[in-house]
Amino acid sequence: ELAVASARSILACFQAHRAEGKYRMLSVGDREVTVACERLGSFTTPLRTVDALHLALAFTSNLTMVTADQALARSARLLGVAYKLLA
């Protein structure tokens, strides 16, 4: 839904922030895959696989999921994952 110029700007900002160490990289392990499968298997949310992995990482690492995706925020709420919905 983004214009190419906007997408490039966002990607450049992300890459700069990553180079500056503003993000902590997390690894997906067996525990996260298990939690993601449990969430997907509940069939109570419209989660996609990648979203389920993001939620599992937030859950197992006791982190808050930050998203602008209303459906992902709804899924986080239903599954008990802390979240912040950006307007």
Side-chain angles (χ1 to χ4, degrees):
E1 295 179 22
L2 290 174
V4 173
S6 295
R8 285 188 178 132
S9 177
I10 291 167
L11 180 58
C13 182
F14 171 73
Q15 290 171 330
H17 285 174
R18 187 167 179 222
E20 294 167 7
K22 292 187 178 187
Y23 300 111
R24 182 174 66 176
M25 304 306 280
L26 300 173
S27 297
V28 176
D30 289 340
R31 181 174 181 216
E32 289 75 23
V33 171
T34 298
V35 170
C37 287
E38 289 169 356
R39 300 306 192 252
L40 285 169
S42 71
F43 301 108
T44 58
T45 66
L47 281 176
R48 292 166 286 188
T49 305
V50 173
D51 289 343
L53 286 170
H54 285 137
L55 286 173
L57 279 165
F59 178 78
T60 60
S61 300
N62 197 31
L63 298 172
T64 300
M65 166 73 67
V66 178
T67 184
D69 181 332
Q70 291 184 3
L72 182 56
R74 225 177 0 264
S75 294
R77 182 177 45 79
L78 289 171
L79 298 171
V81 176
Y83 71 95
K84 178 178 181 178
L85 179 60
L86 301 175

